[in-house]
Amino acid sequence: MTMKETKGKTVYLDNSATTVALPEVVEAVKEALVSVYGNPSSLHGMGVAAERILRRARQEVAELLGVEAEEIYFTSGGTEANNWALRGLAYSLRRRGRHIITTEVEHASVLEACRGLEREGFSVTYLPVDSRGAVRLEALEDSLRDDTILVSIMSVNNELGTVQPLEEVARILATKGPVLFHVDHIQGYGKVQLNLKKLNIAALSLSAHKIHGPKGVGALYLRRNLNMLPLLVGGDQERGLRAGTENVPGIAGFGVAASLARKSLPQSIEKMRRLKMQLAERLLTGIPDAYINGPEPTSGAPHILNVSFPGLKAEVLVHMLEEKGIYVSTGSACHSRRQNSSHVLQALGLPKDRIDGSIRISFSRLNTDEEVEEAARAICECVAELRRL
């Protein structure tokens, strides 16, 4: 979408859809495009230089997770990482069992991969969530079977900001035998810290453009010595598990973005949560019948706020705000052009008018107090105007 011309300052609060690339990231991408443009598989010096960029980026992406660089495999983005995790692990384990467990509120790249596996003879259980969007743990315990091979649960819900109880999930799985645990960490990377070893996570998906990196690049963490089948074949790249010439410019930018995120992590988390709570308070006090969907602003992920204004159409509100230079969304960017209501908000059991009138506001560490005040003022004005019509 082309950003519209507005009279005042642009306030970008759709950072769960994507983030602006940092200047250091742009510079790293540019250098890999115009200076270090060799193929990392080539044996000559330019190839070696490109391979060195991959090695450095892999180390930076791994350090933000607290894992080994050799456990990181680059992909074309988060969707490929999720597809690969689900399909690759399911295929590699199908002799042991064909039952997979996930939740009703996962991203479409997990849900559609699961539905594809169902068509191939796998059985999938979709766990319900509570009113905050957190997975019901008793349902997980009841759903585990002798032929369960894989459980896939996101760390942070992309529409609500709900942080899933992964420690409790890991504790349950530890009592039920060799079930692999995949986590979609695309919305949590650089915002919510996980201890992958303690949680016994086997696979975990990442995306660069959610942390001020380039679009078109992501990664899949695979625990060392995991038996995994490739999704793409035809080359020895990524240690034979992901064929195709690596996106060196994108990966270079990803590494820089991960490094910068790691250096500012505690301060970024604190700042985003403060801005989120500041905006939530302004909206709840300034707009009658405004509701927070999902967890309370004091809990959940620090950067996602989902608010309903029953009786309004969210799409209309989003476009009114755009005219004022305020950019928010109606939910997941991957489904923003569909007419269907959010499957995440439906899973919470919300009434239709609350679902139809919901917007997602998502922060980055670059947002400011002044921007939040500007957004609050604009949202209050637009909601009041729409309710007068």
Side-chain angles (χ1 to χ4, degrees):
M1 182 177 68
T2 303
M3 190 174 286
K4 289 187 175 181
E5 292 290 332
T6 53
K7 292 179 181 177
K9 182 184 175 185
T10 294
V11 178
Y12 184 76
L13 294 173
D14 195 15
N15 292 283
S16 286
T18 194
T19 54
V20 63
L22 295 169
E24 297 92 332
V25 169
V26 174
E27 190 57 38
V29 172
K30 182 180 174 184
E31 183 187 12
L33 278 171
V34 303
S35 300
V36 192
Y37 53 83
N39 187 321
S41 295
S42 296
L43 298 180
H44 51 63
M46 289 183 69
V48 172
E51 201 279 333
R52 197 176 298 125
I53 288 179
L54 295 187
R55 194 162 57 244
R56 187 166 61 239
R58 202 182 306 276
Q59 183 67 39
E60 295 290 2
V61 171
E63 283 188 19
L64 182 53
L65 275 182
V67 300
E68 300 298 321
E70 292 72 24
E71 295 173 308
I72 298 296
Y73 296 80
F74 289 114
T75 68
S76 66
T79 292
E80 183 191 325
N82 277 339
N83 271 254
W84 183 18
L86 268 293
R87 292 174 180 274
L89 292 174
Y91 295 154
S92 69
L93 295 169
R94 59 186 156 193
R95 289 185 180 175
R96 203 174 81 204
R98 285 177 168 260
H99 181 230
I100 297 165
I101 297 175
T102 188
T103 79
E104 295 177 348
V105 297
E106 298 298 310
H107 187 270
S109 55
V110 167
L111 294 176
E112 291 303 322
C114 285
R115 287 172 189 135
L117 289 167
E118 284 184 287
R119 290 191 289 273
E120 296 176 39
F122 287 85
S123 170
V124 181
T125 298
Y126 300 90
L127 299 176
V129 296
D130 64 19
S131 60
R132 299 167 297 123
V135 63
R136 293 188 180 277
L137 296 170
E138 67 278 12
L140 171 62
E141 289 187 282
D142 293 343
S143 299
L144 286 164
R145 313 185 322 207
D146 291 341
D147 64 338
T148 303
I149 53 174
L150 176 63
V151 171
S152 178
I153 297 177
M154 62 196 346
S155 61
V156 173
N157 185 268
N158 55 310
E159 294 191 37
L160 299 169
T162 309
V163 177
Q164 295 294 351
L166 298 187
E167 285 196 25
E168 287 83 351
V169 170
R171 201 155 35 239
I172 291 169
L173 297 185
T175 66
K176 299 293 182 180
V179 179
L180 293 186
F181 188 15
H182 165 249
V183 173
D184 172 354
H185 196 41
I186 292 166
Q187 290 291 342
Y189 188 51
K191 287 112 179 177
V192 173
Q193 293 178 285
L194 298 180
N195 185 329
L196 276 66
K197 303 301 180 187
K198 181 181 176 185
L199 297 175
N200 200 25
I201 291 172
L204 178 138
S205 305
L206 305 171
S207 176
H209 73 105
K210 310 295 188 183
I211 60 164
H212 301 287
K215 297 174 182 62
V217 60
L220 183 64
Y221 157 84
L222 292 175
R223 191 173 61 207
R224 192 184 292 272
N225 298 325
L226 193 67
N227 184 22
M228 181 65 158
L229 292 181
L231 192 64
L232 303 178
V233 295
D236 295 331
Q237 292 87 354
E238 296 300 291
R239 284 148 283 161
L241 282 180
R242 201 274 183 183
T245 302
E246 297 90 342
N247 173 7
V248 179
I251 291 170
F254 191 6
V256 171
S259 173
L260 294 172
R262 178 173 56 82
K263 290 170 182 171
S264 65
L265 189 58
Q267 301 91 324
S268 297
I269 291 173
E270 181 183 350
K271 180 182 181 184
M272 289 187 288
R273 185 172 300 286
R274 177 172 54 74
L275 295 177
K276 172 182 165 181
M277 291 175 62
Q278 182 181 331
L279 184 56
E281 182 180 359
R282 291 277 281 108
L283 297 182
L284 291 175
T285 57
I287 302 176
D289 298 327
Y291 296 92
I292 302 295
N293 300 318
E296 292 295 319
T298 51
S299 60
H303 62 301
I304 299 176
L305 182 67
N306 193 301
V307 194
S308 280
F309 309 105
L312 302 187
K313 291 292 183 188
E315 186 177 342
V316 176
L317 176 58
V318 165
H319 289 307
M320 279 187 75
L321 290 169
E322 181 184 358
E323 295 295 329
K324 295 176 178 288
I326 312 294
Y327 289 83
V328 300
S329 73
T330 55
S332 170
C334 295
H335 280 164
S336 63
R337 297 182 191 281
R338 293 188 184 178
Q339 298 301 313
N340 300 345
S341 296
S342 159
H343 71 284
V344 174
L345 298 184
Q346 286 182 339
L348 266 58
L350 298 181
K352 189 173 186 307
D353 64 339
R354 195 162 150 184
I355 293 175
D356 291 345
S358 69
I359 61 172
R360 180 185 67 181
I361 303 163
S362 48
F363 305 88
S364 87
R365 64 182 186 272
L366 303 184
N367 289 125
T368 66
D369 294 83
E370 293 72 23
E371 288 178 335
V372 165
E373 284 304 311
E374 181 66 27
R377 189 162 44 247
I379 295 170
C380 290
E381 289 174 0
C382 289
V383 170
E385 185 176 341
L386 286 171
R387 283 184 170 166
R388 282 195 298 269
L389 296 178

PDB file of all heavy atoms in Angstrom, residues 275-291:
ATOM      1  N   LEU A 275       4.637   2.511  26.509  1.00  0.00           N
ATOM      2  CA  LEU A 275       3.833   3.161  25.478  1.00  0.00           C
ATOM      3  C   LEU A 275       2.487   2.458  25.308  1.00  0.00           C
ATOM      4  O   LEU A 275       1.445   3.110  25.140  1.00  0.00           O
ATOM      5  CB  LEU A 275       4.599   3.147  24.145  1.00  0.00           C
ATOM      6  CG  LEU A 275       5.892   3.956  24.094  1.00  0.00           C
ATOM      7  CD1 LEU A 275       6.566   3.792  22.743  1.00  0.00           C
ATOM      8  CD2 LEU A 275       5.621   5.434  24.381  1.00  0.00           C
ATOM      9  N   LYS A 276       2.502   1.144  25.375  1.00  0.00           N
ATOM     10  CA  LYS A 276       1.260   0.374  25.233  1.00  0.00           C
ATOM     11  C   LYS A 276       0.287   0.702  26.371  1.00  0.00           C
ATOM     12  O   LYS A 276      -0.908   0.944  26.138  1.00  0.00           O
ATOM     13  CB  LYS A 276       1.611  -1.120  25.241  1.00  0.00           C
ATOM     14  CG  LYS A 276       0.438  -2.071  25.296  1.00  0.00           C
ATOM     15  CD  LYS A 276       0.945  -3.523  25.360  1.00  0.00           C
ATOM     16  CE  LYS A 276      -0.143  -4.478  25.769  1.00  0.00           C
ATOM     17  NZ  LYS A 276       0.332  -5.876  25.856  1.00  0.00           N
ATOM     18  N   MET A 277       0.809   0.747  27.595  1.00  0.00           N
ATOM     19  CA  MET A 277      -0.060   1.041  28.740  1.00  0.00           C
ATOM     20  C   MET A 277      -0.564   2.478  28.683  1.00  0.00           C
ATOM     21  O   MET A 277      -1.713   2.763  29.039  1.00  0.00           O
ATOM     22  CB  MET A 277       0.715   0.782  30.040  1.00  0.00           C
ATOM     23  CG  MET A 277       0.987  -0.706  30.277  1.00  0.00           C
ATOM     24  SD  MET A 277       2.019  -1.023  31.722  1.00  0.00           S
ATOM     25  CE  MET A 277       0.979  -0.366  33.010  1.00  0.00           C
ATOM     26  N   GLN A 278       0.297   3.370  28.224  1.00  0.00           N
ATOM     27  CA  GLN A 278      -0.086   4.788  28.092  1.00  0.00           C
ATOM     28  C   GLN A 278      -1.245   4.942  27.116  1.00  0.00           C
ATOM     29  O   GLN A 278      -2.238   5.634  27.398  1.00  0.00           O
ATOM     30  CB  GLN A 278       1.139   5.556  27.595  1.00  0.00           C
ATOM     31  CG  GLN A 278       0.973   7.047  27.435  1.00  0.00           C
ATOM     32  CD  GLN A 278       2.270   7.683  26.901  1.00  0.00           C
ATOM     33  OE1 GLN A 278       3.368   7.178  27.139  1.00  0.00           O
ATOM     34  NE2 GLN A 278       2.135   8.760  26.165  1.00  0.00           N
ATOM     35  N   LEU A 279      -1.166   4.275  25.974  1.00  0.00           N
ATOM     36  CA  LEU A 279      -2.228   4.393  24.975  1.00  0.00           C
ATOM     37  C   LEU A 279      -3.510   3.698  25.444  1.00  0.00           C
ATOM     38  O   LEU A 279      -4.620   4.223  25.261  1.00  0.00           O
ATOM     39  CB  LEU A 279      -1.767   3.799  23.643  1.00  0.00           C
ATOM     40  CG  LEU A 279      -2.753   3.943  22.490  1.00  0.00           C
ATOM     41  CD1 LEU A 279      -3.119   5.408  22.260  1.00  0.00           C
ATOM     42  CD2 LEU A 279      -2.191   3.335  21.201  1.00  0.00           C
ATOM     43  N   ALA A 280      -3.360   2.531  26.063  1.00  0.00           N
ATOM     44  CA  ALA A 280      -4.539   1.813  26.558  1.00  0.00           C
ATOM     45  C   ALA A 280      -5.309   2.665  27.559  1.00  0.00           C
ATOM     46  O   ALA A 280      -6.554   2.757  27.508  1.00  0.00           O
ATOM     47  CB  ALA A 280      -4.109   0.490  27.184  1.00  0.00           C
ATOM     48  N   GLU A 281      -4.592   3.298  28.467  1.00  0.00           N
ATOM     49  CA  GLU A 281      -5.249   4.142  29.481  1.00  0.00           C
ATOM     50  C   GLU A 281      -5.975   5.312  28.823  1.00  0.00           C
ATOM     51  O   GLU A 281      -7.113   5.633  29.184  1.00  0.00           O
ATOM     52  CB  GLU A 281      -4.212   4.658  30.477  1.00  0.00           C
ATOM     53  CG  GLU A 281      -4.829   5.498  31.590  1.00  0.00           C
ATOM     54  CD  GLU A 281      -3.783   6.011  32.566  1.00  0.00           C
ATOM     55  OE1 GLU A 281      -2.596   5.694  32.367  1.00  0.00           O
ATOM     56  OE2 GLU A 281      -4.174   6.733  33.498  1.00  0.00           O
ATOM     57  N   ARG A 282      -5.341   5.943  27.832  1.00  0.00           N
ATOM     58  CA  ARG A 282      -5.954   7.085  27.159  1.00  0.00           C
ATOM     59  C   ARG A 282      -7.222   6.670  26.425  1.00  0.00           C
ATOM     60  O   ARG A 282      -8.227   7.384  26.423  1.00  0.00           O
ATOM     61  CB  ARG A 282      -4.959   7.711  26.179  1.00  0.00           C
ATOM     62  CG  ARG A 282      -3.798   8.413  26.839  1.00  0.00           C
ATOM     63  CD  ARG A 282      -4.147   9.834  27.264  1.00  0.00           C
ATOM     64  NE  ARG A 282      -4.105  10.732  26.125  1.00  0.00           N
ATOM     65  CZ  ARG A 282      -5.164  11.282  25.539  1.00  0.00           C
ATOM     66  NH1 ARG A 282      -6.364  10.989  25.986  1.00  0.00           N
ATOM     67  NH2 ARG A 282      -5.037  12.111  24.524  1.00  0.00           N
ATOM     68  N   LEU A 283      -7.205   5.496  25.792  1.00  0.00           N
ATOM     69  CA  LEU A 283      -8.378   5.048  25.028  1.00  0.00           C
ATOM     70  C   LEU A 283      -9.510   4.622  25.959  1.00  0.00           C
ATOM     71  O   LEU A 283     -10.681   4.927  25.703  1.00  0.00           O
ATOM     72  CB  LEU A 283      -7.986   3.889  24.098  1.00  0.00           C
ATOM     73  CG  LEU A 283      -6.952   4.227  23.014  1.00  0.00           C
ATOM     74  CD1 LEU A 283      -6.689   3.021  22.132  1.00  0.00           C
ATOM     75  CD2 LEU A 283      -7.398   5.417  22.172  1.00  0.00           C
ATOM     76  N   LEU A 284      -9.169   3.909  27.041  1.00  0.00           N
ATOM     77  CA  LEU A 284     -10.215   3.429  27.950  1.00  0.00           C
ATOM     78  C   LEU A 284     -10.871   4.579  28.720  1.00  0.00           C
ATOM     79  O   LEU A 284     -12.062   4.509  29.042  1.00  0.00           O
ATOM     80  CB  LEU A 284      -9.623   2.412  28.934  1.00  0.00           C
ATOM     81  CG  LEU A 284      -9.201   1.068  28.316  1.00  0.00           C
ATOM     82  CD1 LEU A 284      -8.514   0.192  29.355  1.00  0.00           C
ATOM     83  CD2 LEU A 284     -10.403   0.333  27.722  1.00  0.00           C
ATOM     84  N   THR A 285     -10.119   5.635  29.003  1.00  0.00           N
ATOM     85  CA  THR A 285     -10.705   6.779  29.708  1.00  0.00           C
ATOM     86  C   THR A 285     -11.368   7.770  28.752  1.00  0.00           C
ATOM     87  O   THR A 285     -12.285   8.486  29.146  1.00  0.00           O
ATOM     88  CB  THR A 285      -9.623   7.523  30.521  1.00  0.00           C
ATOM     89  OG1 THR A 285      -8.574   7.926  29.647  1.00  0.00           O
ATOM     90  CG2 THR A 285      -9.072   6.649  31.628  1.00  0.00           C
ATOM     91  N   GLY A 286     -10.928   7.765  27.502  1.00  0.00           N
ATOM     92  CA  GLY A 286     -11.447   8.764  26.563  1.00  0.00           C
ATOM     93  C   GLY A 286     -12.591   8.299  25.688  1.00  0.00           C
ATOM     94  O   GLY A 286     -13.263   9.122  25.049  1.00  0.00           O
ATOM     95  N   ILE A 287     -12.819   6.979  25.620  1.00  0.00           N
ATOM     96  CA  ILE A 287     -13.843   6.462  24.706  1.00  0.00           C
ATOM     97  C   ILE A 287     -14.776   5.522  25.469  1.00  0.00           C
ATOM     98  O   ILE A 287     -14.353   4.467  25.962  1.00  0.00           O
ATOM     99  CB  ILE A 287     -13.191   5.679  23.538  1.00  0.00           C
ATOM    100  CG1 ILE A 287     -12.221   6.577  22.780  1.00  0.00           C
ATOM    101  CG2 ILE A 287     -14.261   5.124  22.604  1.00  0.00           C
ATOM    102  CD1 ILE A 287     -11.458   5.875  21.679  1.00  0.00           C
ATOM    103  N   PRO A 288     -16.069   5.895  25.588  1.00  0.00           N
ATOM    104  CA  PRO A 288     -17.025   4.997  26.245  1.00  0.00           C
ATOM    105  C   PRO A 288     -17.138   3.687  25.470  1.00  0.00           C
ATOM    106  O   PRO A 288     -17.069   3.672  24.238  1.00  0.00           O
ATOM    107  CB  PRO A 288     -18.349   5.784  26.186  1.00  0.00           C
ATOM    108  CG  PRO A 288     -17.959   7.199  25.923  1.00  0.00           C
ATOM    109  CD  PRO A 288     -16.686   7.156  25.137  1.00  0.00           C
ATOM    110  N   ASP A 289     -17.297   2.596  26.179  1.00  0.00           N
ATOM    111  CA  ASP A 289     -17.476   1.270  25.563  1.00  0.00           C
ATOM    112  C   ASP A 289     -16.297   0.844  24.710  1.00  0.00           C
ATOM    113  O   ASP A 289     -16.477   0.172  23.696  1.00  0.00           O
ATOM    114  CB  ASP A 289     -18.759   1.226  24.718  1.00  0.00           C
ATOM    115  CG  ASP A 289     -19.995   1.469  25.553  1.00  0.00           C
ATOM    116  OD1 ASP A 289     -19.989   1.066  26.731  1.00  0.00           O
ATOM    117  OD2 ASP A 289     -20.940   2.084  25.039  1.00  0.00           O
ATOM    118  N   ALA A 290     -15.103   1.227  25.079  1.00  0.00           N
ATOM    119  CA  ALA A 290     -13.905   0.675  24.435  1.00  0.00           C
ATOM    120  C   ALA A 290     -13.464  -0.544  25.248  1.00  0.00           C
ATOM    121  O   ALA A 290     -13.527  -0.535  26.483  1.00  0.00           O
ATOM    122  CB  ALA A 290     -12.785   1.706  24.390  1.00  0.00           C
ATOM    123  N   TYR A 291     -13.062  -1.601  24.561  1.00  0.00           N
ATOM    124  CA  TYR A 291     -12.671  -2.835  25.243  1.00  0.00           C
ATOM    125  C   TYR A 291     -11.281  -3.281  24.784  1.00  0.00           C
ATOM    126  O   TYR A 291     -10.968  -3.223  23.593  1.00  0.00           O
ATOM    127  CB  TYR A 291     -13.655  -3.974  24.926  1.00  0.00           C
ATOM    128  CG  TYR A 291     -15.053  -3.741  25.425  1.00  0.00           C
ATOM    129  CD1 TYR A 291     -16.011  -3.134  24.606  1.00  0.00           C
ATOM    130  CD2 TYR A 291     -15.427  -4.145  26.706  1.00  0.00           C
ATOM    131  CE1 TYR A 291     -17.303  -2.924  25.057  1.00  0.00           C
ATOM    132  CE2 TYR A 291     -16.722  -3.933  27.166  1.00  0.00           C
ATOM    133  CZ  TYR A 291     -17.653  -3.319  26.340  1.00  0.00           C
ATOM    134  OH  TYR A 291     -18.921  -3.116  26.794  1.00  0.00           O
TER     135      TYR A 291
END
